[in-house]
Amino acid sequence: MASVREIDRNDDIYVGIKFPLDYSPEGFFYKTKTILEQAKSNMRNLLLTSKGDRVMQPEFGSTLTDIIFDQGTDIPNRVDESIREATSSWLPYININDIVVIQGDSNIVDVSIDFSVSLEPDSFETLTFNFNIGE
């Protein structure tokens, strides 16, 4: 079996499909080249899927969008908890290093997640979401 570094450096190996899905000039969808890039796509897919949206997997997803658009109190702590809960349940190979949630005055919530994968704990990636809750 090839190591993560061998897979990531081999131009002939693709790891998965990049999200969001879109047509690629080289095939049906854009593909991910590295394990970390695929983990980022998997995390985006998980966190932006609301629980109950996926057929036959009603627990798949997170409560992230429910919390953001609920406009209740303590949004940053609730968002952090939702992200950590969903990731530990569905993507246990992802190590979350930091989550920063900024709730601005103009109905905008910015979420930034720094993470790595357990196979490459010293390589980090950042996933960001920007929600405009006033629209």
Side-chain angles (χ1 to χ4, degrees):
M1 179 174 202
S3 74
V4 173
R5 289 193 175 148
E6 291 171 336
I7 291 170
D8 287 353
R9 291 181 183 151
N10 188 332
D11 290 336
D12 296 327
I13 297 177
Y14 291 93
V15 178
I17 298 172
K18 188 172 185 176
F19 289 96
L21 296 176
D22 198 4
Y23 289 105
S24 163
E26 299 173 356
F28 286 108
F29 305 111
Y30 286 98
K31 297 172 251 179
T32 56
K33 200 72 187 103
T34 67
I35 302 290
L36 195 55
E37 185 181 18
Q38 184 60 46
K40 184 175 182 177
S41 287
N42 292 348
M43 185 181 261
R44 177 182 303 278
N45 183 38
L46 172 68
L47 296 177
L48 292 179
T49 300
S50 294
K51 287 185 175 187
D53 282 354
R54 188 159 174 194
V55 176
M56 303 299 287
Q57 290 281 353
E59 292 301 312
F60 180 83
S62 75
T63 57
L64 179 63
T65 55
D66 296 335
I67 293 167
I68 294 290
F69 293 102
D70 177 38
Q71 297 183 14
T73 60
D74 201 23
I75 288 177
N77 286 332
R78 291 172 54 210
V79 165
D80 185 289
E81 184 179 313
S82 175
I83 291 169
R84 290 181 192 278
E85 179 184 308
T87 304
S88 69
S89 294
W90 293 96
L91 304 173
Y93 62 92
I94 291 180
N95 303 318
I96 295 177
N97 302 308
D98 192 26
I99 298 174
V100 177
V101 181
I102 299 171
Q103 186 176 6
D105 293 335
S106 60
N107 292 329
I108 294 176
V109 177
D110 295 321
V111 179
S112 178
I113 308 162
D114 291 328
F115 68 94
S116 62
V117 293
S118 56
L119 296 172
E120 287 272 328
D122 296 327
S123 297
F124 299 97
E125 181 66 77
T126 302
L127 177 61
T128 58
F129 299 105
N130 306 98
F131 298 99
N132 187 340
I133 58 178
E135 293 184 353

